[in-house]
Each structure stands twice: as C-alpha cells, then as structure tokens.
C-alpha cells in the first residue's frame, strides 16, 4: 500500500471525519464525551485514517508507536500504510512473566488528572529507529511527552506525534513535541 501525501488529506476527508463524530452526554453532565465510534464503523474512513496520519509528516519512520487503546488501533493502521513495524505502548502494565527489560515513563497529569505509567519491552525500539507516535486525540500532551521520553530512553530519534484531533490546552506543545493533527477540536 502506498503512502498518502500530505496534500491528499483534503477538506473532504476532514469534513467526513467531522460528520462521523459526535459529542454524547447524559442529562446533568457538564461536558460531553467524545464518541469516535463513527470513525471505526465507516470502512472508507477507517481505510483512509492510517495513510492520512502517515501523511502528516514528510519523514518516514522505521517504527510507529501507539498508546493503548485507540492509539494502538490507529498506530497499526498507520504502520501498515507505511510498510513499517508497530509497537504498542502499554498502559500501567506490570512486569511480564518473562525477564525482558522494559522502559517506562509516568505521565504528568492527563485530562482526567491521572498519572499513567506507559512502557514497552526495551528491545522493540532501537537506537537507530526513527519513531512516529500515533493517537486519536491530544489534550494536555502528557501522553505524547511520556512516549517521547521512552523514545529518548532508547536512543531513537523522535519524529513527532500524529493525531486525529488536536485539543491541546497548551499550544507550545504543538511545536515543541511536535504534534500534527487531521482536525482541530474546534471543528467538532
């Protein structure tokens, strides 16, 4: 499968993403919850998401990282579209029964004020790798910063984070990390 260029992520694709998204809330809730299930149900959107996320950066990674749970789905789609490997970044994972060494990082407070431990087996990312992280949504940047720290711990080179929705509360992270997205949260 060929890589989709940045210019292919056009307004029509973004419009279809927005149309398949909804906010859900119960009476008395002060804020809605993001319902992304329309993206997964639409076969055309699902097939285009990996190449579209891959197309946000000009540089091709040697490996794609995706935090569980939705980042793992999107990361696998993106890696497949690029023809490279994928590493699932696990959340609050205890040491496995094997003796493999893990790299782990704890996040700053996330959008729910939690500190989450992310990690993966050390042998999955090498010093020569060029790494792209993929996720569905970025809000505080806590997950992206933790995953970038994991990449640094492995001596690999960080390309950036590709997300469907940019909801960054601190715009500095957009350039520092860097983060690129298909949609701005204000479009939803």
């Amino acid at each position: 499968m060929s890589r989709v260029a940045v210019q292919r992520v056009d307004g029509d694709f973004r419009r279809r993403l927005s149309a398949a998204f909804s906010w859900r809330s119960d009476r008395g809730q002060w804020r809605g919850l993001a319902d992304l299930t329309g993206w997964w149900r639409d076969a055309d959107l699902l097939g285009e998401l990996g190449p579209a996320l891959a197309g946000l950066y000009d540089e091709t990674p040697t490996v794609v990282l995706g935090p569980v749970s939705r980042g793992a789905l999107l990361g696998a789609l993106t890696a497949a579209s690029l023809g490279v490997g994928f590493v699932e970044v696990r959340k609050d994972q205890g040491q496995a029964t094997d003796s493999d060494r893990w790299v782990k990082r704890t996040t700053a407070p996330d959008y729910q004020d939690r500190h989450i431990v992310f990690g993966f087996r050390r042998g999955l990312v090498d010093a020569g790798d060029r790494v792209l992280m993929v996720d569905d949504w970025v809000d505080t940047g806590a997950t992206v910063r933790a995953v970038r720290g994991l990449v640094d711990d492995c001596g690999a080179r960080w390309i950036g984070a590709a997300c469907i929705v940019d909801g960054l509360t601190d715009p500095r992270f957009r350039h520092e990390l860097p983060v690129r997205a298909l949609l701005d949260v204000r479009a939803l």
Side-chain angles (χ1 to χ4, degrees):
M1 184 179 283
S2 65
R3 179 173 170 191
V4 175
V6 174
Q7 58 269 23
R8 173 105 195 294
V9 183
D10 61 15
D12 179 60
F13 179 68
R14 289 183 167 102
R15 182 194 55 72
R16 290 184 297 121
L17 278 174
S18 293
F21 174 88
S22 62
W23 292 103
R24 305 271 185 217
S25 64
D26 290 328
R27 276 190 301 236
Q29 265 187 320
W30 65 273
R31 95 179 213 192
L33 299 174
D35 181 0
L36 317 180
T37 57
W39 297 341
W40 320 141
R41 180 63 178 99
D42 184 314
D44 291 333
L45 279 178
L46 191 61
E48 292 176 66
L49 277 170
L53 288 163
L56 290 174
Y57 287 88
D58 292 330
E59 186 174 358
T60 301
T62 56
V63 66
V64 173
L65 272 59
V68 295
S69 64
R70 293 185 292 238
L73 165 70
L74 294 166
L77 291 171
T78 304
S81 75
L82 290 165
V84 301
F86 169 73
V87 173
E88 177 184 61
V89 181
R90 295 187 179 177
K91 193 184 294 188
D92 295 323
Q93 182 70 30
Q95 189 66 33
T97 57
D98 58 24
S99 59
D100 289 349
R101 198 172 118 233
W102 279 64
V103 288
K104 295 182 182 182
R105 285 281 180 130
T106 303
T107 67
D110 70 1
Y111 70 101
Q112 292 182 338
D113 205 28
R114 302 171 299 181
H115 296 270
I116 299 171
V117 178
F118 283 101
F120 51 82
R121 284 193 331 271
R122 173 61 185 93
L124 295 174
V125 175
D126 296 322
D129 280 324
R130 296 180 311 277
V131 180
L132 175 66
M133 184 195 125
V134 175
D135 209 351
D136 61 330
W137 200 292
V138 60
D139 191 43
T140 65
T143 300
V144 178
R145 286 179 284 158
V147 173
R148 183 176 185 170
L150 292 168
V151 170
D152 291 345
D153 292 346
C154 293
R157 194 163 65 70
W158 175 260
I159 294 172
C163 301
I164 297 176
V165 178
D166 177 348
L168 277 169
T169 53
D170 187 337
R172 291 176 300 161
F173 295 138
R174 200 168 286 115
H175 303 289
E176 288 175 13
L177 292 173
V179 172
R180 295 184 185 166
L182 299 173
L183 296 172
D184 186 281
V185 70
R186 294 172 293 195
L188 302 173

